[in-house]
Amino acid sequence: MSRIRHILYIEDLTVSFDGFKALDNLNFYVEENELRVVIGPNGAGKSTLLDVICGKTKPQSGSVLFYEEIDLVKKKEHEIARLGVGRKFQTPSIYENLTVFENLEISCPKEKTVCNAIFSKLTSQDKEKIEDVLKAIGLIEKKNFKASLLSHGEKQWLEIGMILVQDPKLILLDEPVAGMSAKERERTVELLKKIAPGRSLVVIEHDMEFVKNIAQRVTVLHQGKVLCEGDIYWIQNNPKVQEVYLGEV
């Protein structure tokens, strides 16, 4: 029987802000090719966890290992991105004055200067990759639209596409369906299921119906620690979770 390999191996992680422990000796493990959802009340440490993984925030103590061997704590944000970690924040971060296609074009990884990355021509392989991503995110018909003309949901999908063209091994998504319509949420479920095979996803979300539709495993954070983990149905019926997060059923 082969040993389970973790793409994220986090132990004893502590992050403090002015004496407040956002993460308190947190232990958190994500397997290869796993779609993990992290839930918890406001202030539980969810976004801080993603900030540490992508290098935006440095912890006071603890380890964050990528594939159990690369210490992300010692890496800078751009170095972590190059290793194959993509992060999407709550608010879409796209170039609204550029077209959908151009947003994906400048996101293609290139071993060049910033100037060359903007003005260099795409290879046929780059173009094929962008076309595939456009189809995956459902924006192939709008590839020549200015990004500013997209709906809120479409902007979220575009940002996910900007991560996908970089061929990440791990994608971190912070509340990807916040502010979406019911139809957009349904399409986002389809999108995440489509892009999940062959990579790992860590998703922070409050929409429990959305969580039910995507999660393979759910981690509940409370006061900077893991309260419990399991499948969504076990989580929803856990008295501790109901007390701190879901409320009485």
Side-chain angles (χ1 to χ4, degrees), residues 4-8 30-34 67 199-200:
I4 294 174
R5 194 179 187 202
H6 294 95
I7 193 167
L8 269 181
V30 178
E31 296 173 16
E32 279 188 306
N33 304 323
E34 180 184 4
Y67 284 111
R199 58 172 58 92
S200 301

Side-chain angles (χ1 to χ4, degrees), residues 91-107:
T91 303
S93 179
I94 60 175
Y95 302 97
E96 300 217 352
N97 291 327
L98 299 181
T99 67
V100 170
F101 188 93
E102 288 168 340
N103 269 271
L104 298 178
E105 178 181 0
I106 65 173
S107 299

Side-chain angles (χ1 to χ4, degrees), residues 182-210:
K183 188 174 181 179
E184 287 174 333
R185 288 197 297 271
E186 290 174 8
R187 288 187 60 182
T188 304
V189 168
E190 295 170 5
L191 172 58
L192 296 193
K193 287 182 176 179
K194 187 184 299 182
I195 68 175
R199 58 172 58 92
S200 301
L201 280 77
V202 176
V203 182
I204 289 176
E205 191 48 67
H206 287 289
D207 187 321
M208 294 309 296
E209 193 61 36
F210 177 76

Side-chain angles (χ1 to χ4, degrees), residues 112-124:
K112 301 173 182 177
T113 65
V114 173
C115 184
N116 285 342
I118 295 173
F119 295 107
S120 61
K121 291 184 179 180
L122 289 173
T123 65
S124 58

Side-chain angles (χ1 to χ4, degrees), residues 9 12 34 36 42 63-64 66 74 82 94 105 110 114 121-122 127 151 157 181 186-187 189 198 214 221 238 249:
Y9 192 91
D12 303 324
E34 180 184 4
R36 177 72 65 86
N42 291 332
S63 59
V64 181
F66 190 53
K74 297 178 180 179
R82 286 175 185 167
I94 60 175
E105 178 181 0
K110 296 180 178 70
V114 173
K121 291 184 179 180
L122 289 173
K127 291 178 182 178
S151 70
W157 302 331
S181 66
E186 290 174 8
R187 288 187 60 182
V189 168
I214 66 164
L221 293 189
N238 185 298
V249 176

